Amino acid sequence: MKTLLTVAAFAAGVSALSTGAQAQDCTTKIGATLPTSVDWGRPIAEVAQFAVDQVNEAGGAGGCQIEMVLRDTQVDPKVGVDAAKALVDLEGVNVLLGAVSSGVSMPILSSVTVPGGVMQMSCCSSSTAFTKLSEEGKTDGLWFRTFATTAVQSAMGAKVAADKGYGSVAILYKNDDWGQDMARLIAADFAAAGIKVTSSVAVNDGQPSYRAEVTKALGGEPEALYLALYPNEGTSAVREWLSLGGTQNMILANSLKSDEFRDNVGLQYLGNALGTDTASPRVASADAFKAAYVEKFGSEPNGPGLANSFDAAMIALLAMEAVGKDASGKDIAAAVAKVTDPDGTPVTADVAGFKKASETLAGGGTVKYQGATGDVRFDANGDVSAPAVVWKFTDSGVDEVEYLSLGEVDAFIASLKK
């Protein structure tokens, strides 16, 4: 991979020299609001920068080199909004990558990017509230996400419970847009699968103790616990749960796919825990991303949202390439369809693929992007579908327990509605 990228970079340099080095004469900024102050957030930002680096090796986007200006959201809505405002008002970005948490992405969308006419591309926000907002015409076509909605994770949580034979489940969920959406969906899916929900308890950030919430969740003597939390409050809640005699039968949302959570709780207490997540399809482009990631970072991409972050950045940059320098956020958003066209010219998610896309777009053609999560297709609301995976913690990270294709995911979701 290093050799390939080096050769591609050299080729890009030769091309730039022959055309007057147009891409080197200007720089275009894009913004990123991502939670770099938490351990699972830093790799998401690093992968976005990796995509930017490859595009710059290919000559940049829209005739300019790309600078990704990164701001930490701290998984806090107010901090995230302030960061986004600074990027839009002070840095002048027309593209914003982020955020991760739906509870941060939503206020950024409603108070910053839509009013400012900025395209927002999230790697990881999954709340179905965004779908509703788009259906109501309140996103102005500026919202996209490369992560499937909470409906997929919710259904997979119900499948895990059914497969394990759990008759009753308690729910602990983060008290924000994402957590509330997850709690609503998972309760309905558990019920559809014939599993009793003994309680559904909201958990707020930053509390010194979660004993009251955990005690309430234990009240119905559930056979298992479903957790839609982030690592900080998840760690505290699980410690309380176990100290009060709660079961080790746990089902985890992808937000807890974190070494920090595993280490702070203790692997010995997570032997019966199973997590769910969306997954990359079993296709060559996903394998190529994994190989490139290993080459770049020295380990496999085990954290949440990494493939999705790469695709979010790369698709946004392809759309910028399609419309050229100084395009508006609305123009860039409209061009997303040109670079994710099922009938377009297939391009890979690397330096060579971006150069091929540039040539195709310059000739009036469209592009079929094949990336880390496969052939990305957005619907009218900026949503995508995805396969799913069930995982468990190990000493070195996570292992896959079960993979479900997109067809299998759709079939199980349909079975819950019968």
Side-chain angles (χ1 to χ4, degrees):
M1 179 60 67
K2 285 180 178 177
T3 302
L4 175 62
L5 293 180
T6 301
V7 171
F10 176 76
V14 171
S15 176
L17 287 172
S18 65
T19 59
Q22 179 186 13
Q24 306 303 320
D25 292 338
C26 58
T27 298
T28 299
K29 293 179 180 180
I30 64 170
T33 49
L34 299 167
T36 54
S37 54
V38 295
D39 76 324
W40 49 267
R42 287 188 295 275
I44 291 173
E46 290 169 353
V47 166
Q49 183 63 55
F50 182 38
V52 171
D53 291 344
Q54 292 201 52
V55 169
N56 283 335
E57 288 191 50
C64 296
Q65 290 286 285
I66 301 300
E67 177 187 352
M68 187 179 85
V69 185
L70 176 63
R71 295 289 182 268
D72 181 17
T73 67
Q74 300 176 33
V75 202
D76 183 297
K78 185 180 184 305
V79 174
V81 167
D82 288 345
K85 284 181 177 178
L87 290 168
V88 173
D89 296 341
L90 302 180
E91 302 290 350
V93 305
N94 284 323
V95 169
L96 186 73
L97 304 177
V100 172
S101 166
S102 295
V104 179
S105 289
M106 182 60 78
I108 289 176
L109 181 67
S110 60
S111 66
V112 182
T113 53
V114 169
V118 173
M119 187 187 83
Q120 185 175 344
M121 178 81 74
S122 172
C123 66
C124 311
S125 294
S126 59
S127 172
T128 56
F130 294 100
T131 304
K132 183 179 179 182
L133 203 67
S134 179
E135 289 172 344
E136 294 171 349
K138 295 178 180 177
T139 65
D140 286 352
L142 294 165
W143 166 258
F144 299 87
R145 51 179 162 182
T146 54
F147 197 88
T149 71
T150 45
V152 173
Q153 275 212 71
S154 171
M156 292 304 99
K159 184 179 187 302
V160 169
D163 289 349
K164 297 293 288 185
Y166 300 145
S168 60
V169 178
I171 301 168
L172 288 175
Y173 66 92
K174 185 175 177 66
N175 195 17
D176 66 0
D177 288 344
W178 169 76
Q180 293 163 13
D181 194 44
M182 282 296 302
R184 176 180 60 83
L185 291 170
I186 196 69
D189 287 346
F190 281 144
I195 299 162
K196 180 182 178 181
V197 176
T198 59
S199 61
S200 184
V201 184
V203 170
N204 294 308
D205 283 347
Q207 295 181 200
S209 170
Y210 295 108
R211 182 166 289 261
E213 290 84 353
V214 168
T215 299
K216 183 177 179 180
L218 281 166
E221 299 183 355
E223 295 177 35
L225 174 66
Y226 182 84
L227 291 157
L229 300 172
Y230 286 100
N232 283 343
E233 67 270 14
T235 297
S236 298
V238 170
R239 283 174 173 172
E240 292 275 17
W241 176 266
L242 295 172
S243 71
L244 293 173
T247 176
Q248 292 186 23
N249 297 332
M250 290 180 254
I251 304 170
L252 314 176
N254 76 314
S255 53
L256 291 176
K257 190 195 283 186
S258 158
D259 290 346
E260 175 190 23
F261 173 75
R262 178 201 62 199
D263 295 343
N264 289 339
V265 171
L267 185 60
Q268 68 271 30
Y269 301 113
L270 296 169
N272 291 343
L274 291 173
T276 63
D277 200 357
T278 56
S280 297
R282 301 307 197 239
V283 294
S285 63
D287 293 338
F289 165 73
K290 184 181 291 187
Y293 186 95
V294 171
E295 181 72 13
K296 173 69 175 180
F297 298 105
S299 64
E300 292 201 353
N302 285 325
L306 299 181
N308 311 83
S309 180
F310 184 87
D311 282 350
M314 191 65 80
I315 291 167
L317 294 170
L318 281 166
M320 292 175 67
E321 176 69 9
V323 293
K325 182 181 175 183
D326 299 327
S328 69
K330 196 131 191 168
D331 290 339
I332 296 167
V336 168
K338 294 182 179 180
V339 300
T340 56
D341 180 4
D343 299 320
T345 299
V347 298
T348 52
D350 53 19
V351 175
F354 198 90
K355 293 182 71 175
K356 181 178 179 181
S358 299
E359 295 170 0
T360 301
L361 293 165
T366 60
V367 166
K368 177 183 179 181
Y369 173 74
Q370 298 176 311
T373 59
D375 297 350
V376 180
R377 301 286 177 272
F378 297 103
D379 67 13
N381 299 311
D383 290 344
V384 296
S385 296
V389 66
V390 179
W391 53 269
K392 65 178 181 180
F393 283 116
T394 65
D395 287 328
S396 59
V398 297
D399 274 353
E400 180 182 301
V401 174
E402 182 180 9
Y403 172 82
L404 294 96
S405 68
L406 182 56
E408 290 170 325
V409 170
D410 289 344
F412 184 77
I413 291 174
S415 74
L416 294 173
K417 298 177 181 178
K418 293 180 180 178

